[in-house]
Amino acid sequence: MMFQSARTLVRLAVAGLLAAAGCGGEPSSPDLAAPDEGPGTPTLEVGSTIVFPFQNPSIAVATSAWTEDQGVDIATRGGACGGNAVLVAVASGTIVQEGISGFGPAAPVLRVDGGPLSGRFIYYGHSLPALVPVGAHVTAGQPIAQVGCGIVGISTGPHLEIGISLPGGPTCCPPLHRTSGEMHQLLLQALNGGGGGGGSCDAACGAFGCACVDGACNGGFCDGTGCSAQETSNCSAFGSQCVDHQCNGGFGPGNGCTAREELNCQQFGAQCVDHGCNGGFAPGHGCTARQEVDCSAFGAQCVDHGCNGGFAPGHGCTALEETNCSQFGTQCVDHQCSGGFGAGHGCTALEETNCSQFGTQCVDHQCSGGFGTGHGCTAHEETVCANQGASCVDHQCSGGSAPGSGCTAHEQQVCSNSGQGCRQHVCTAR
């Protein structure tokens, strides 16, 4: 997982989930599959009425995650299988075969007995067990199998490969990509209401918890930007990216992430910024492109949506960096563990500049080094010197019983102005 890039760290987690679910790409055995003859056009004019093969459509991953080879590979959400992923007959017909080499020992083959698809064979790869015997006549929508759990056939995890034969057979399986486009369109029709699935595109996408955008399920909690072509064009006129119907990606206001991306990032305790899990407790500055540009106009760096890095007020560290530094008893300053008991002066670039205007060095957010009041040492340096029975002065162990006058540059200057010398922070006669 993990997300960056624009959709890094993030996309990283979702892609891993789909891969684990076994989506796509398993060929059946050579004795059943004809060689690849290249992409072909549908062998039948699409418009046939079929039912979506999942009894509960919300179990299937979004349409944008489907892939094609001989048939259409559809993974299940969360690797659902067995009784949680029941498969139904897409049309009325007869079960003529169970078990397909490469697709599992119980994968059923349905021969459609009516309508425009009459005589065609539809196979359900990687399913186990079968719920009806060979020879049984089934009606559209009747449960006939379940998505197999674990590895069923040549697979990497629970999913369905559903495909349709060439007219006249054989029962299984068609050449690579020869009829997969036709099957894909039939399935989309079933979801979108054009072929027996019932309901509008909005209703079909709603089964996935998604919004229908330009005829595809890519809004809300689905993959994709979730904007129509018109919205995308309108936002581009402002130099912005459209995200979930709003101009809030790239150089537009907002975090620039879809609802799905924000939900995925939350699982890692991270905030989504411009399609990446890089806000809050995730790597990165956690700012949008617009915020970074705005902050740079002030000579500042943007950190977690605030202009508080570099020459801006604040420590200039992300929540993750601050947490990481605290594990070492150190404070984070401008992305470095250099405050408190950490190495370094522990001041931001702005603080160092401000102190230098007074001829003073900044130490742990105070103008207390060089000619400034105070010992001019970090907490870390004071601890190191104390272990040697000495006090720290201007970054040196030169106070107490240690060599040196034990006075800051400021103290020495004050004593000199009165014709005296300084010893261990006290003006003494020379």
Side-chain angles (χ1 to χ4, degrees):
M1 52 197 83
M2 281 38 34
F3 256 167
Q4 318 157 174
S5 65
R7 289 198 179 191
T8 85
L9 244 282
V10 178
R11 292 284 180 200
L12 53 164
V14 175
L17 178 60
L18 294 179
C23 182
E26 303 85 351
S28 63
S29 64
D31 59 326
L32 292 176
D36 181 7
E37 297 181 9
T41 57
T43 56
L44 177 76
E45 181 180 355
V46 174
S48 308
T49 298
I50 70 166
V51 171
F52 195 65
F54 284 83
Q55 188 178 56
N56 179 4
S58 66
I59 293 299
V61 297
T63 57
S64 59
W66 299 357
T67 59
E68 294 183 27
D69 38 47
Q70 290 168 276
V72 179
D73 284 299
I74 306 175
T76 58
R77 295 182 184 272
C81 62
N84 293 321
V86 176
L87 303 172
V88 301
V90 297
S92 296
T94 302
I95 303 298
V96 297
Q97 178 181 329
E98 287 180 353
I100 307 170
S101 178
F103 287 106
V109 178
L110 170 69
R111 183 183 186 278
V112 181
D113 62 7
L117 296 179
S118 183
R120 303 285 290 278
F121 298 94
I122 296 177
Y123 68 91
Y124 294 70
H126 311 296
S127 56
L128 183 74
L131 302 180
V132 295
V134 173
H137 184 272
V138 295
T139 58
Q142 178 178 338
I144 61 172
Q146 298 174 354
V147 172
C149 295
I151 304 301
V152 178
I154 303 175
S155 171
T156 57
H159 75 290
L160 168 69
E161 179 176 324
I162 185 167
I164 187 168
S165 71
L166 292 164
T171 56
C172 189
C173 295
L176 193 67
H177 298 305
R178 185 68 175 276
T179 63
S180 61
E182 178 183 6
M183 190 73 248
H184 199 148
Q185 292 182 60
L186 290 169
L187 291 167
L188 290 177
Q189 284 185 334
L191 274 180
N192 296 343
S200 64
C201 177
D202 286 334
C205 293
F208 298 99
C210 305
C212 180
V213 180
D214 280 353
C217 297
N218 65 358
F221 289 94
C222 271
D223 298 325
T225 62
C227 295
S228 67
Q230 185 62 58
E231 290 170 333
T232 300
S233 177
N234 291 343
C235 291
S236 66
F238 298 96
S240 300
Q241 184 183 34
C242 185
V243 180
D244 281 350
H245 306 296
Q246 299 290 328
C247 297
N248 64 357
F251 289 93
N255 290 350
C257 295
T258 66
R260 165 58 63 193
E261 291 169 334
E262 290 180 351
L263 187 63
N264 290 339
C265 290
Q266 287 173 13
Q267 296 175 0
F268 299 98
Q271 184 183 34
C272 185
V273 180
D274 281 351
H275 306 297
C277 295
N278 63 359
F281 289 92
H285 291 174
C287 294
T288 66
R290 164 57 63 194
Q291 291 168 332
E292 291 179 350
V293 169
D294 289 344
C295 289
S296 67
F298 298 96
Q301 184 183 38
C302 185
V303 180
D304 281 349
H305 306 296
C307 297
N308 61 359
F311 288 92
H315 291 174
C317 294
T318 66
L320 178 64
E321 291 169 335
E322 291 179 350
T323 297
N324 290 341
C325 289
S326 68
Q327 294 175 1
F328 299 96
T330 305
Q331 185 182 37
C332 185
V333 179
D334 282 350
H335 308 297
Q336 299 291 327
C337 296
S338 60
F341 289 93
H345 292 174
C347 294
T348 66
L350 178 64
E351 291 169 334
E352 290 179 350
T353 297
N354 291 340
C355 290
S356 68
Q357 295 175 0
F358 300 96
T360 304
Q361 185 183 39
C362 184
V363 180
D364 283 349
H365 307 296
Q366 299 291 326
C367 296
S368 59
F371 288 93
T373 56
H375 290 175
C377 294
T378 66
H380 176 64
E381 292 168 335
E382 290 179 350
T383 298
V384 170
C385 290
N387 291 335
Q388 301 173 12
S391 62
C392 184
V393 179
D394 284 350
H395 308 297
Q396 299 291 326
C397 295
S398 60
S401 61
S405 67
C407 295
T408 66
H410 176 68
E411 291 168 336
Q412 290 174 352
Q413 184 66 59
V414 169
C415 291
S416 177
N417 291 339
S418 62
Q420 301 180 79
C422 184
R423 187 71 180 176
Q424 295 183 6
H425 310 297
V426 176
C427 293
T428 60
R430 291 179 176 176

